[in-house]
Amino acid sequence: AQRAFLVRIEALRLAVNRALFLGLLEFEGHLAVYPPGSQYRRHLDRFRGVEERTLSCVCYLNEAWSEADGGQLRLYPDPQQPHAGVDVLPLGGRLVAFLSADHPHEVLPARRERVSVTGWLKRRSCAA
């Protein structure tokens, strides 16, 4: 399963580079497990002064997830409307990708364990 996932992430990296010229070089990721009731407050995935993280990717591994289970990823895509969020249900097999520096997001509280592979397609550091 891990190998199949990484093959698909590599295909995504190549496709995004062909279409958007982002210069993505590698994937860094981890298994994210949120126990029931946990959440992750609003944040950006690119830290000030650390430019490598370019495209955030979340692949959900939850089986039979419903809206009543909570745990949505809330994206804030429009800087002109900073409080207008778009919720994405963490359905098993769903992949969400967004620009790490441009889209604040949070994980809403879940009523059951929520599992994903979360990571970043990264480009070379600009630091000298």
Side-chain angles (χ1 to χ4, degrees), residues 5-67:
F5 174 78
L6 292 174
V7 165
R8 289 188 172 139
I9 287 292
E10 177 63 7
L12 175 64
R13 183 187 74 80
L14 294 172
V16 168
N17 278 343
R18 274 192 304 273
L20 302 176
F21 307 103
L22 292 180
L24 303 173
L25 297 174
E26 65 181 351
F27 177 75
E28 172 194 2
H30 64 274
L31 183 64
V33 180
Y34 289 79
S38 64
Q39 65 188 62
Y40 199 134
R41 299 224 184 263
R42 186 175 173 154
H43 65 283
L44 286 171
D45 282 348
R46 184 186 284 177
F47 306 118
R48 217 175 300 218
V50 182
E51 304 292 319
E52 294 88 0
R53 290 181 178 178
T54 303
L55 191 68
S56 297
C57 301
V58 183
C59 181
Y60 296 107
L61 306 176
N62 308 299
E63 293 188 25
W65 200 270
S66 73
E67 193 135 351

Side-chain angles (χ1 to χ4, degrees), residues 76-96:
Y76 297 92
D78 186 353
Q80 301 301 318
Q81 298 181 355
H83 301 293
V86 174
D87 291 349
V88 179
L89 202 60
L91 300 174
R94 175 175 279 171
L95 176 74
V96 180

Side-chain angles (χ1 to χ4, degrees), residues 81-121:
Q81 298 181 355
H83 301 293
V86 174
D87 291 349
V88 179
L89 202 60
L91 300 174
R94 175 175 279 171
L95 176 74
V96 180
F98 53 92
L99 293 172
S100 303
D102 297 341
H103 297 293
H105 57 285
E106 63 184 309
V107 176
L108 301 180
R111 290 173 189 81
R112 57 182 258 218
E113 185 177 78
R114 178 186 180 276
V115 182
S116 65
V117 176
T118 300
W120 308 273
L121 285 165

